[in-house]
Amino acid sequence: MEHTVHVPVDVYLAHYTDILHAQADTDALISYVEAGLRVKDLTATGWRDLDILSGVPEDNTFEVLEEITENIHDLCVKWNEWNDHPKIGLRTTRLICRPSHETRSDVRGGFMKTEGRNILLRLEDGSEVDDENVPISAAVAIAEFKCFMKDRAENEGKVVESVTRTLYNDPCRRFMLAFTIEGQMMRFWYFSRSHISVSAEFDFQVHPRHFIRFIIFLTFAPLQDLGYDPTAEGVFSDKQKIQYRFKVRGILYQTLRPLNEPTLDILSHATRVWEVVELDESNMMPLGEPKVLKDVWVYTGTKGEREIYDEIFTALGELDRKGAVPGNERPPPLVPGASLVEDAQRYFMTIVSDEVVVIDGQPDTARGPQVGYTEFIYSEGRAQAPSIPVPKIAHPHKERTHRRIIFKEVCQTMYQISNPAEFTLGLSQVVYGLDYMRLAGFVHRDLSPGNCLMYNGQAKISDLEYTLEYLSQGSLNSAPPTGTPAYMASEYQLGRYVFQPVQPIPKPLLSPAPFIPSLPVATVVPFRFNYLHDLESVLWMYLWFLLSTLPDSAEHLRHQLFDDGSTGRHFFISCHRTDSSAFDEVLAIIGADSDMAIGVNCFRFLAYCYETVEATEPGSDDSKHWDPKYFLHEYYVELHEAFKYIHGKMKDSSSSGM
């Protein structure tokens, strides 16, 4: 697991385990509890009944922690009775050390075993949590114990796996805590969508106060401080199937079914999408037609999808007002005479509402402490030591903010479409949606079959969180690559322009050649994402679909072109300049003269477009962007017509086959 923030113990405790909101009060409480523990639990050399080196099995060695934490709880209750102010809150969790017992999943995802776990006292329905049958939604924190330091990597691996399962299975969870013990050395952990923090190790026999503070926090902290989302809850249907309820701008929605497969990655957008229905809170009855709810963690400071959508259509509206786009320089409208804004709306989702999740009056963000350093700590079951000293840096991760969006249309992703005619129709429409984005001056930067959707025969482009104004971008160094690698433009993956022409090439398709500016050969400029890179993502979507229809003998092509880190993509798109056995092999399998080959040859056409643009001189200002006027409407028309032609042939073939 990468990008783990290593922090001193006191920094970890101050940042993640705020008990009484004042250090003096917290110190007084811990001193009171420590003094009480020294009556029977603590000696001058450590915890009285915790003999780690006795050779007793781990299960028996660490089960005494249950009794210790109960004694800590009892002393805190006495503190409340003795102290008028400040008081700690009501108990929320308790520690159980039952390595042989499984924690069951509320949904698919199986079970997990941990050495110990802090569990809720009660479930949301008020029933007590059974020690023998703990649901994942009731597992608050994870603990892993080992008697020897040599087993540290195993501890780390098990903690990461357990937290991954929990965050995957429970969408009501924002972050998660854990602690690990190897011998007498203890570490505290924090897992969120932006970063993982781990405290420096300490001997909890010699320094029990750190452990006492951590246990007090786990035992008494409000659920939202333990990682639960107070704006979400899980409920069971009559069929005992779990559904979730979310508040978005004061309106309550209940999920009907999931529409995507959430990622297992802890550090991610953690995008979840459901079909939902609005509920009348007075009787919990459904209102209106189903909608779509998207729950996502985006980088703090980035614009929301609603804001980006509004900017795109404001720009199109301004072009409408000025009459700046001739009819032959835009996609043909579905309704004759429709404005740019009116026609472009069919290519995008309708956003009902968009909000930042707010907890205790503050935006829900994942942000780590301001000190620490990062390194790789876990990979395939082995601890990884950095090869060189890692500098200490502030905020070595990017803060994320929790957002929710409600969409009107319940769509299919193009991943779900298996019909070639429907798939190519969708691609032809996506191309025209991108043409409208070009007219507005925006690039998408994250196209994939997962965010190109179909709704009643109409393609819609979604997931605008990475969308930027083309002319406002910084260089690749200031805006790291985004998107799904399998569908990412090859130049974008390489981080440099590679299509400067070495000699003129014939245009591979039949329509008249677009205007080629007679300007000097392009100079080397800082790399920036441009409109052609979005179009290339469409072509990779087509090739992915095509290869998925081929026999198993083409499996090596799928690996060569679509596995992460594959090297064959650039050679495929620049096949006219370099040898590409993959390109020739695909054409040989499907037939060089077949209808589907037209889509493959679109890669050649796009290479021609790249060379045409990159033969021009970039802007003279510091931005060094290629002038938008060189990204021609004709490029979009060419690709649209190619996919529309394939669609027609596939539709005819399907009809004749019936």
Side-chain angles (χ1 to χ4, degrees):
M1 184 65 65
E2 60 181 271
H3 302 309
T4 298
V5 186
H6 294 244
V7 296
V9 181
D10 58 341
V11 172
Y12 178 100
L13 292 171
H15 190 81
Y16 298 115
T17 65
D18 188 6
I19 301 173
L20 295 176
H21 311 296
Q23 188 60 47
D25 293 333
T26 299
D27 288 342
L29 169 61
I30 295 172
S31 295
Y32 175 86
V33 172
E34 182 182 11
L37 290 171
R38 291 199 179 276
V39 174
K40 67 172 185 175
D41 292 302
L42 271 174
T43 69
T45 57
W47 302 99
R48 186 185 307 276
D49 297 323
L50 189 61
D51 188 358
I52 295 172
L53 301 180
S54 65
V56 176
E58 289 168 356
D59 293 10
N60 305 108
T61 298
F62 293 103
E63 67 181 2
V64 68
L65 292 178
E66 278 194 39
E67 181 181 347
I68 291 172
T69 57
E70 287 301 312
N71 291 338
I72 290 174
H73 163 265
D74 294 344
L75 287 165
C76 288
V77 171
K78 290 181 179 179
W79 162 274
N80 271 354
E81 295 170 352
W82 173 72
N83 244 15
D84 291 333
H85 183 79
K87 294 181 181 290
I88 54 179
L90 297 175
R91 184 177 194 175
T92 50
T93 78
R94 57 194 173 89
L95 177 68
I96 59 173
C97 300
R98 313 286 170 79
S100 59
H101 293 166
E102 293 178 323
T103 303
R104 64 175 173 84
S105 173
D106 302 295
V107 294
R108 69 185 187 279
F111 297 81
M112 66 182 188
K113 287 185 178 182
T114 59
E115 305 285 345
R117 71 215 76 165
N118 267 75
I119 64 172
L120 296 177
L121 297 184
R122 296 183 180 277
L123 299 174
E124 290 178 341
D125 63 6
S127 61
E128 292 187 2
V129 177
D130 181 1
D131 290 5
E132 307 296 324
N133 193 22
V134 179
I136 278 183
S137 58
V140 178
I142 301 298
E144 291 293 344
F145 315 130
K146 291 289 179 288
C147 289
F148 304 102
M149 286 293 293
K150 65 181 180 62
D151 296 319
R152 167 167 287 193
E154 182 181 348
N155 256 4
E156 291 174 347
K158 291 176 69 175
V159 163
V160 170
E161 180 182 1
S162 296
V163 171
T164 297
R165 284 180 178 270
T166 304
L167 295 179
Y168 173 85
N169 280 286
D170 188 359
C172 302
R173 207 70 69 94
R174 299 152 49 230
F175 59 83
M176 198 164 186
L177 301 169
F179 66 98
T180 53
I181 300 173
E182 297 92 28
Q184 297 187 172
M185 308 307 292
M186 178 177 284
R187 291 178 296 166
F188 302 136
W189 298 77
Y190 174 92
F191 296 85
S192 76
R193 294 305 183 182
S194 73
H195 69 286
I196 299 171
S197 283
V198 58
S199 74
E201 64 179 22
F202 65 96
D203 189 326
F204 78 109
Q205 298 273 44
V206 177
H207 304 287
R209 290 176 64 88
H210 297 324
F211 177 62
I212 293 170
R213 172 169 178 162
F214 189 73
I215 292 301
I216 293 174
F217 180 79
L218 287 184
T219 305
F220 292 97
L223 294 185
Q224 63 201 48
D225 291 350
L226 294 171
Y228 288 88
D229 185 345
T231 68
E233 65 171 333
V235 294
F236 283 92
S237 66
D238 294 339
K239 297 180 180 179
Q240 288 301 298
K241 180 180 179 182
I242 193 166
Q243 303 289 3
Y244 299 95
R245 291 175 181 168
F246 299 93
K247 277 280 185 79
V248 182
R249 293 198 177 276
I251 296 176
L252 184 64
Y253 295 90
Q254 180 165 311
T255 63
L256 301 176
R257 63 186 177 103
L259 296 178
N260 80 323
E261 180 68 23
T263 180
L264 283 168
D265 294 336
I266 296 174
L267 305 178
S268 68
H269 274 53
T271 303
R272 295 178 187 265
V273 185
W274 290 273
E275 181 179 346
V276 298
V277 64
E278 182 181 340
L279 293 182
D280 182 338
E281 289 197 62
S282 65
N283 56 19
M284 295 301 171
M285 296 298 292
L287 298 172
E289 295 298 316
K291 296 179 177 63
V292 171
L293 184 150
K294 177 179 176 181
D295 186 273
V296 62
W297 290 82
V298 299
Y299 290 128
T300 300
T302 58
K303 297 174 182 177
E305 289 195 56
R306 180 62 173 267
E307 186 177 357
I308 295 168
Y309 177 94
D310 289 345
E311 289 180 356
I312 291 172
F313 281 89
T314 297
L316 291 174
E318 186 65 15
L319 293 174
D320 277 329
R321 188 183 67 80
K322 295 178 178 179
V325 182
N328 62 348
E329 291 292 329
R330 57 167 286 186
L334 183 65
V335 177
S339 68
L340 295 174
V341 168
E342 290 168 338
D343 192 58
Q345 286 174 343
R346 63 186 167 119
Y347 295 102
F348 297 89
M349 300 284 285
T350 304
I351 299 175
V352 177
S353 62
D354 178 11
E355 72 165 8
V356 172
V357 176
V358 174
I359 296 177
D360 281 346
Q362 298 296 321
D364 187 16
T365 60
R367 180 176 183 269
Q370 299 186 37
V371 298
Y373 65 94
T374 62
E375 66 180 46
F376 291 87
I377 61 128
Y378 174 76
S379 177
E380 298 179 350
R382 296 183 300 276
Q384 301 292 307
S387 57
I388 57 175
V390 182
K392 293 188 176 183
I393 55 176
H395 295 301
H397 60 278
K398 296 189 70 173
E399 179 181 332
R400 291 186 185 269
T401 296
H402 194 185
R403 300 190 76 105
R404 293 199 183 110
I405 308 101
I406 301 293
F407 298 99
K408 177 182 177 180
E409 301 89 357
V410 181
C411 304
Q412 275 187 304
T413 72
M414 294 189 72
Y415 278 125
Q416 297 170 292
I417 296 172
S418 58
N419 182 288
E422 187 178 2
F423 195 89
T424 49
L425 173 65
L427 292 184
S428 72
Q429 296 169 343
V430 168
V431 168
Y432 270 171
L434 291 175
D435 199 12
Y436 275 119
M437 291 188 70
R438 174 190 66 88
L439 289 171
F442 287 80
V443 287
H444 188 280
R445 303 199 310 143
D446 185 27
L447 284 175
S448 73
N451 50 40
C452 293
L453 313 176
M454 293 299 290
Y455 179 72
N456 294 338
Q458 173 63 52
K460 293 183 176 290
I461 298 171
S462 68
D463 291 2
L464 300 179
E465 56 256 28
Y466 287 132
T467 297
L468 292 175
E469 288 186 76
Y470 168 60
L471 292 177
S472 71
Q473 298 178 84
S475 67
L476 181 62
N477 289 335
S478 62
T482 59
T484 307
Y487 310 103
M488 195 179 288
S490 58
E491 281 192 337
Y492 195 35
Q493 285 185 315
L494 294 170
R496 58 186 175 87
Y497 299 112
V498 295
F499 285 97
Q500 285 82 1
V502 291
Q503 61 182 13
I505 60 170
K507 186 163 178 272
L509 301 183
L510 300 179
S511 60
F515 167 67
I516 302 178
S518 56
L519 293 175
V521 174
T523 56
V524 177
V525 295
F527 181 83
R528 291 168 176 86
F529 194 99
N530 63 49
Y531 303 107
L532 296 182
H533 297 132
D534 275 337
L535 285 178
E536 187 180 334
S537 292
V538 177
L539 298 190
W540 289 118
M541 289 165 58
Y542 173 78
L543 188 62
W544 165 81
F545 179 84
L546 176 63
L547 293 179
S548 71
T549 68
L550 298 181
D552 291 342
S553 58
E555 183 69 20
H556 67 287
L557 291 171
R558 291 188 280 270
H559 289 302
Q560 183 178 343
L561 296 171
F562 289 98
D563 284 356
D564 288 354
S566 60
T567 58
R569 298 164 64 82
H570 169 64
F571 297 107
F572 193 94
I573 192 172
S574 58
C575 56
H576 65 285
R577 301 172 64 178
T578 59
D579 291 331
S580 175
S581 59
F583 188 93
D584 296 335
E585 192 172 352
V586 170
L587 288 181
I589 293 173
I590 65 174
D593 297 325
S594 68
D595 297 324
M596 298 296 278
I598 293 174
V600 178
N601 279 311
C602 286
F603 280 95
R604 286 177 170 164
F605 171 70
L606 190 64
Y608 163 83
C609 300
Y610 275 124
E611 291 191 347
T612 299
V613 171
E614 293 180 23
T616 68
E617 189 71 18
S620 58
D621 60 355
D622 292 339
S623 67
K624 295 289 185 182
H625 291 81
W626 309 110
D627 196 310
K629 69 182 179 182
Y630 297 134
F631 298 93
L632 304 178
H633 170 62
E634 284 83 353
Y635 297 163
Y636 295 81
V637 173
E638 196 78 63
L639 294 180
H640 169 85
E641 291 298 328
F643 289 124
K644 189 175 180 181
Y645 175 83
I646 300 170
H647 159 71
K649 290 294 185 179
M650 294 297 103
K651 186 176 181 181
D652 292 344
S653 174
S654 176
S655 298
S656 62
M658 295 174 61

